[in-house]
Amino acid sequence: MLDLLIQNGLIFDGLGSAPMRGDIGIQNGKIVAIASSLTSNAHQVVDASGLWVTPGFIDIHTHYDLELEIAPGLSESVRHGVTSVVIGNCSLSVAVGKPQMLADIFQRVETLSHQLIAKWLKQSVSWQTPAEYLEHLQQLPLGANVAPMFGHSALRAHVMGLERSLTVQPSETELKTMQQIAADALDAGFIGISIDMFPWHRMSGEWRGCTIPSQHAKQKEYAMLADICRERDRVFQVTPNLQRFASFLDIIRMSSGIGQKPLRLTILAALDAVHDRKLWRIFSPLLYFWNQILKGNVRFQTLTEPFTIYSEGSVTPLFEEFHTGAQLNSCESRQQRQQLWESETFCRQFRQEWLNNWRKSFHRQLDLMEIVRCPETSWQGLSFAEIARQNQQKPVDFFIEALQKYDTDLRWVATGANDRLEPRLALMQHPYIFPGFTDAGAHVRNLGYYDGALSLLKQAVATKFLAPEIAIARVTGEPARWFRLDTGVLKIGAQADLVLLNPQYLNQPISPQVEISDPILDGEPRMVKRGSEEIVEAVYISGIRVVCRGKISDRLGRERLGTVLSPCLNQNSL
């Protein structure tokens, strides 16, 4: 007697094979049979006629580390078919360290809600080691499966103390301690280690404005962590320093496979940037050279839709890349920001930095920055440049005046990358670039790309740039194999994590981001995605239906359905 029998669906195995019409039998949370026709009796029978049956999607880049402790169901991702997430990215994790220190490292980098941080800090942290943290995760009522990376910033601050991790280099003893803890973490089941070189990731709290601990390391420390991953064939995730070209050369040297085992390296991010329309073309030849000539094992990550970011006045991650913008983000109140704006010297410096094109990652084109909400309602829907022309002002002067006058009451939006279809498709199609990089769980007021896999499928159906079975494999079996996770494939013996999709509704545009009042954050606003209710007929985790046509089951986040994913030692079993 089966627990669940799904009949007559078009089955995609997640490996890129041609789909087959058939039935799937599930018992005790596992797939026990796949055939063109199953005659077994079952407690529950689902007719999937006209539907696609796919593995649950894998989100390879999330920052759910803190939210897992508050709402472990991860419903915003699961509702879009995601059944496995990778956490601990960008050197940020909570596997070791004191709670307040970890909160100060996390909060500004990922612009996490103060309400979420406050909720998390109220809970006791019961683990003392990375292994105990994994045990703790396994006890949570997980919705999606969780594959944790071990974050370097947390490790460095834990071993050296926060102040020393931001100001000096480790002693030989501290370096050896980091090495031992990192090795123990991988041996306990972490899937890899993440480091961060990105110069605009900054601290909050006592050390607000200072760059986070991982960025203060020297090449020797990074290489030590990379070697630990290489020895165990684990993932090494890097966010490069865009202001220091030599950092790319360091990363290339660490990851070469000439004369040694290649490093399993993933890098953020391959994007078609608005500020440099030729940049996206470099990724293909670079990856060919890296993987074919240097014998590497490198995967970039890209976003599956336009990189559109919402901002609250001058409180925005887009301002972290220049000094005066970072100063504004460091202010704890509107009053403090007003004091800065009242300084003619500050305004002059802000204007100069805004107009400076050197080493910028955001385009800063005021004709491409649109006002969404403002007390001056006539401005809504117009760009800053349009209103400046109406007022016969220079755009940057009007921009400064608007920020000064309305502060966070002024909400604006801009798209910084991946807005052109052809380059976006080329990046998503590239064999050495993973569609991912959603940042799910982070920047909750700025962006919400929880439906990244569905956005890929929509574009595949609309443009036929990928066959459906290949598009599905790109967000299921392919990342599972590379990250060495025993998930993402429909096969006998696998955990029954699967999605029922109605393909009739895939032929529609990418869903817009919308703002909701999030009960997880006690009603604070959050950017999310909606519009997948017709596409996602159902989502199953461990054979339990947790989503049905947009409705979330009460069991999600209350029962332990997902599991902690450790690296699969036998690649042939994937």
Side-chain angles (χ1 to χ4, degrees), residues 365-371 378-396 398-399:
Q365 296 179 33
L366 291 165
D367 58 325
L368 301 179
M369 297 164 55
E370 181 181 303
I371 295 173
S378 63
W379 291 358
Q380 292 175 186
L382 299 177
S383 72
F384 287 100
E386 286 178 299
I387 303 168
R389 284 193 292 269
Q390 292 176 6
N391 295 346
Q392 297 183 332
Q393 288 181 276
K394 291 181 179 179
V396 68
F398 170 73
F399 185 49

Short mmCIF file of all heavy atoms in Angstrom, two decimals, residues 365-371 378-396 398-399:
data_model
loop_
_atom_site.label_atom_id
_atom_site.label_comp_id
_atom_site.label_asym_id
_atom_site.label_seq_id
_atom_site.Cartn_x
_atom_site.Cartn_y
_atom_site.Cartn_z
N GLN A 365 22.40 56.34 -12.95
CA GLN A 365 21.77 57.15 -14.00
C GLN A 365 20.39 57.56 -13.51
O GLN A 365 19.47 56.73 -13.43
CB GLN A 365 21.68 56.36 -15.30
CG GLN A 365 23.04 55.99 -15.88
CD GLN A 365 22.92 55.20 -17.16
OE1 GLN A 365 21.99 55.39 -17.95
NE2 GLN A 365 23.87 54.30 -17.40
N LEU A 366 20.22 58.83 -13.21
CA LEU A 366 18.99 59.30 -12.59
C LEU A 366 17.79 59.23 -13.53
O LEU A 366 16.65 59.29 -13.08
CB LEU A 366 19.19 60.72 -12.08
CG LEU A 366 20.15 60.79 -10.87
CD1 LEU A 366 20.62 62.21 -10.62
CD2 LEU A 366 19.49 60.22 -9.63
N ASP A 367 18.04 59.10 -14.83
CA ASP A 367 16.92 58.89 -15.75
C ASP A 367 16.41 57.46 -15.70
O ASP A 367 15.34 57.16 -16.24
CB ASP A 367 17.34 59.26 -17.19
CG ASP A 367 18.53 58.47 -17.67
OD1 ASP A 367 19.42 58.16 -16.85
OD2 ASP A 367 18.59 58.15 -18.88
N LEU A 368 17.16 56.57 -15.06
CA LEU A 368 16.75 55.17 -14.92
C LEU A 368 16.33 54.84 -13.49
O LEU A 368 16.15 53.67 -13.16
CB LEU A 368 17.90 54.24 -15.34
CG LEU A 368 18.41 54.39 -16.78
CD1 LEU A 368 19.56 53.42 -17.04
CD2 LEU A 368 17.29 54.17 -17.78
N MET A 369 16.18 55.84 -12.66
CA MET A 369 15.80 55.66 -11.26
C MET A 369 14.44 56.31 -11.04
O MET A 369 14.31 57.52 -11.11
CB MET A 369 16.86 56.26 -10.34
CG MET A 369 18.20 55.58 -10.47
SD MET A 369 19.61 56.53 -9.78
CE MET A 369 19.04 56.82 -8.11
N GLU A 370 13.42 55.47 -10.79
CA GLU A 370 12.03 55.93 -10.77
C GLU A 370 11.49 56.01 -9.35
O GLU A 370 11.74 55.12 -8.52
CB GLU A 370 11.17 54.99 -11.61
CG GLU A 370 9.71 55.36 -11.69
CD GLU A 370 8.92 54.36 -12.53
OE1 GLU A 370 9.28 54.17 -13.71
OE2 GLU A 370 7.96 53.78 -11.99
N ILE A 371 10.74 57.06 -9.08
CA ILE A 371 10.12 57.23 -7.76
C ILE A 371 8.85 56.37 -7.67
O ILE A 371 7.98 56.46 -8.53
CB ILE A 371 9.80 58.71 -7.50
CG1 ILE A 371 11.10 59.51 -7.43
CG2 ILE A 371 8.99 58.87 -6.21
CD1 ILE A 371 10.90 61.00 -7.34
N SER A 378 2.74 63.69 -7.09
CA SER A 378 2.88 63.95 -8.52
C SER A 378 4.20 63.42 -9.07
O SER A 378 4.38 63.29 -10.28
CB SER A 378 2.77 65.44 -8.81
OG SER A 378 3.82 66.16 -8.18
N TRP A 379 5.15 63.11 -8.18
CA TRP A 379 6.43 62.58 -8.62
C TRP A 379 6.37 61.08 -8.92
O TRP A 379 7.23 60.54 -9.60
CB TRP A 379 7.49 62.81 -7.55
CG TRP A 379 7.88 64.24 -7.34
CD1 TRP A 379 7.41 65.33 -8.01
CD2 TRP A 379 8.80 64.73 -6.35
NE1 TRP A 379 7.99 66.48 -7.53
CE2 TRP A 379 8.85 66.14 -6.51
CE3 TRP A 379 9.58 64.13 -5.38
CZ2 TRP A 379 9.66 66.94 -5.71
CZ3 TRP A 379 10.40 64.92 -4.59
CH2 TRP A 379 10.44 66.32 -4.74
N GLN A 380 5.39 60.41 -8.38
CA GLN A 380 5.35 58.94 -8.46
C GLN A 380 5.22 58.48 -9.92
O GLN A 380 4.40 59.01 -10.67
CB GLN A 380 4.18 58.41 -7.62
CG GLN A 380 4.41 58.62 -6.13
CD GLN A 380 3.25 58.22 -5.25
OE1 GLN A 380 3.27 58.45 -4.04
NE2 GLN A 380 2.21 57.63 -5.82
N GLY A 381 6.06 57.52 -10.27
CA GLY A 381 6.08 57.00 -11.63
C GLY A 381 7.03 57.75 -12.55
O GLY A 381 7.18 57.36 -13.71
N LEU A 382 7.66 58.80 -12.06
CA LEU A 382 8.61 59.57 -12.86
C LEU A 382 10.03 59.33 -12.37
O LEU A 382 10.26 59.01 -11.20
CB LEU A 382 8.29 61.07 -12.76
CG LEU A 382 6.91 61.53 -13.25
CD1 LEU A 382 6.74 63.02 -13.02
CD2 LEU A 382 6.71 61.18 -14.72
N SER A 383 11.00 59.53 -13.26
CA SER A 383 12.40 59.40 -12.87
C SER A 383 12.87 60.70 -12.23
O SER A 383 12.27 61.77 -12.42
CB SER A 383 13.27 59.07 -14.08
OG SER A 383 13.39 60.21 -14.92
N PHE A 384 13.95 60.60 -11.48
CA PHE A 384 14.52 61.81 -10.87
C PHE A 384 14.92 62.81 -11.96
O PHE A 384 14.77 64.02 -11.77
CB PHE A 384 15.73 61.43 -10.02
CG PHE A 384 15.38 60.74 -8.73
CD1 PHE A 384 15.48 59.36 -8.62
CD2 PHE A 384 14.94 61.46 -7.64
CE1 PHE A 384 15.16 58.72 -7.45
CE2 PHE A 384 14.62 60.83 -6.44
CZ PHE A 384 14.72 59.45 -6.35
N ALA A 385 15.44 62.30 -13.07
CA ALA A 385 15.88 63.19 -14.15
C ALA A 385 14.69 63.92 -14.78
O ALA A 385 14.78 65.11 -15.12
CB ALA A 385 16.64 62.40 -15.20
N GLU A 386 13.57 63.22 -14.93
CA GLU A 386 12.37 63.86 -15.51
C GLU A 386 11.88 65.01 -14.64
O GLU A 386 11.57 66.10 -15.14
CB GLU A 386 11.26 62.82 -15.66
CG GLU A 386 11.46 61.84 -16.80
CD GLU A 386 10.34 60.81 -16.86
OE1 GLU A 386 10.16 60.06 -15.87
OE2 GLU A 386 9.64 60.77 -17.88
N ILE A 387 11.83 64.77 -13.35
CA ILE A 387 11.34 65.83 -12.44
C ILE A 387 12.34 66.99 -12.40
O ILE A 387 11.94 68.16 -12.34
CB ILE A 387 11.11 65.25 -11.03
CG1 ILE A 387 10.12 64.08 -11.10
CG2 ILE A 387 10.57 66.33 -10.10
CD1 ILE A 387 10.05 63.28 -9.82
N ALA A 388 13.63 66.66 -12.45
CA ALA A 388 14.64 67.71 -12.46
C ALA A 388 14.49 68.61 -13.68
O ALA A 388 14.60 69.84 -13.58
CB ALA A 388 16.03 67.09 -12.42
N ARG A 389 14.19 68.00 -14.83
CA ARG A 389 13.99 68.81 -16.04
C ARG A 389 12.76 69.71 -15.89
O ARG A 389 12.77 70.87 -16.31
CB ARG A 389 13.85 67.90 -17.26
CG ARG A 389 15.17 67.31 -17.73
CD ARG A 389 15.03 66.67 -19.11
NE ARG A 389 14.21 65.46 -19.07
CZ ARG A 389 14.69 64.24 -18.88
NH1 ARG A 389 15.99 64.06 -18.66
NH2 ARG A 389 13.88 63.19 -18.87
N GLN A 390 11.71 69.16 -15.28
CA GLN A 390 10.51 69.97 -15.05
C GLN A 390 10.83 71.17 -14.15
O GLN A 390 10.29 72.26 -14.34
CB GLN A 390 9.42 69.13 -14.41
CG GLN A 390 8.83 68.05 -15.32
CD GLN A 390 7.80 67.19 -14.59
OE1 GLN A 390 7.45 67.45 -13.44
NE2 GLN A 390 7.31 66.15 -15.26
N ASN A 391 11.72 70.96 -13.18
CA ASN A 391 12.08 72.01 -12.24
C ASN A 391 13.26 72.85 -12.72
O ASN A 391 13.73 73.75 -11.99
CB ASN A 391 12.43 71.40 -10.87
CG ASN A 391 11.26 70.71 -10.21
OD1 ASN A 391 10.11 70.89 -10.62
ND2 ASN A 391 11.54 69.91 -9.20
N GLN A 392 13.76 72.50 -13.93
CA GLN A 392 14.92 73.20 -14.50
C GLN A 392 16.12 73.16 -13.54
O GLN A 392 16.78 74.17 -13.26
CB GLN A 392 14.55 74.65 -14.85
CG GLN A 392 13.47 74.76 -15.92
CD GLN A 392 13.16 76.20 -16.31
OE1 GLN A 392 13.31 77.12 -15.51
NE2 GLN A 392 12.74 76.38 -17.54
N GLN A 393 16.37 71.95 -13.04
CA GLN A 393 17.50 71.72 -12.15
C GLN A 393 18.42 70.67 -12.75
O GLN A 393 18.01 69.86 -13.60
CB GLN A 393 17.03 71.20 -10.78
CG GLN A 393 16.35 72.20 -9.89
CD GLN A 393 15.95 71.55 -8.57
OE1 GLN A 393 14.89 70.91 -8.48
NE2 GLN A 393 16.78 71.68 -7.56
N LYS A 394 19.65 70.66 -12.28
CA LYS A 394 20.53 69.56 -12.61
C LYS A 394 20.02 68.32 -11.87
O LYS A 394 19.66 68.41 -10.68
CB LYS A 394 21.96 69.86 -12.18
CG LYS A 394 22.64 70.96 -13.00
CD LYS A 394 24.07 71.17 -12.53
CE LYS A 394 24.75 72.25 -13.36
NZ LYS A 394 26.15 72.49 -12.91
N PRO A 395 19.98 67.15 -12.54
CA PRO A 395 19.42 65.95 -11.91
C PRO A 395 20.04 65.62 -10.56
O PRO A 395 19.33 65.28 -9.61
CB PRO A 395 19.68 64.86 -12.94
CG PRO A 395 19.67 65.58 -14.25
CD PRO A 395 20.30 66.92 -13.96
N VAL A 396 21.37 65.71 -10.44
CA VAL A 396 22.00 65.33 -9.17
C VAL A 396 21.64 66.31 -8.06
O VAL A 396 21.48 65.92 -6.90
CB VAL A 396 23.53 65.20 -9.33
CG1 VAL A 396 24.19 66.56 -9.59
CG2 VAL A 396 24.14 64.54 -8.10
N PHE A 398 18.75 67.96 -7.82
CA PHE A 398 17.39 67.60 -7.41
C PHE A 398 17.40 66.33 -6.57
O PHE A 398 16.67 66.23 -5.56
CB PHE A 398 16.49 67.41 -8.63
CG PHE A 398 15.15 66.80 -8.29
CD1 PHE A 398 14.18 67.55 -7.64
CD2 PHE A 398 14.89 65.47 -8.58
CE1 PHE A 398 12.96 66.98 -7.29
CE2 PHE A 398 13.68 64.90 -8.24
CZ PHE A 398 12.71 65.65 -7.60
N PHE A 399 18.21 65.36 -6.95
CA PHE A 399 18.30 64.09 -6.23
C PHE A 399 18.72 64.34 -4.78
O PHE A 399 18.10 63.81 -3.84
CB PHE A 399 19.31 63.19 -6.93
CG PHE A 399 19.43 61.80 -6.38
CD1 PHE A 399 18.30 61.02 -6.14
CD2 PHE A 399 20.68 61.25 -6.10
CE1 PHE A 399 18.41 59.72 -5.64
CE2 PHE A 399 20.80 59.96 -5.61
CZ PHE A 399 19.67 59.20 -5.38
#
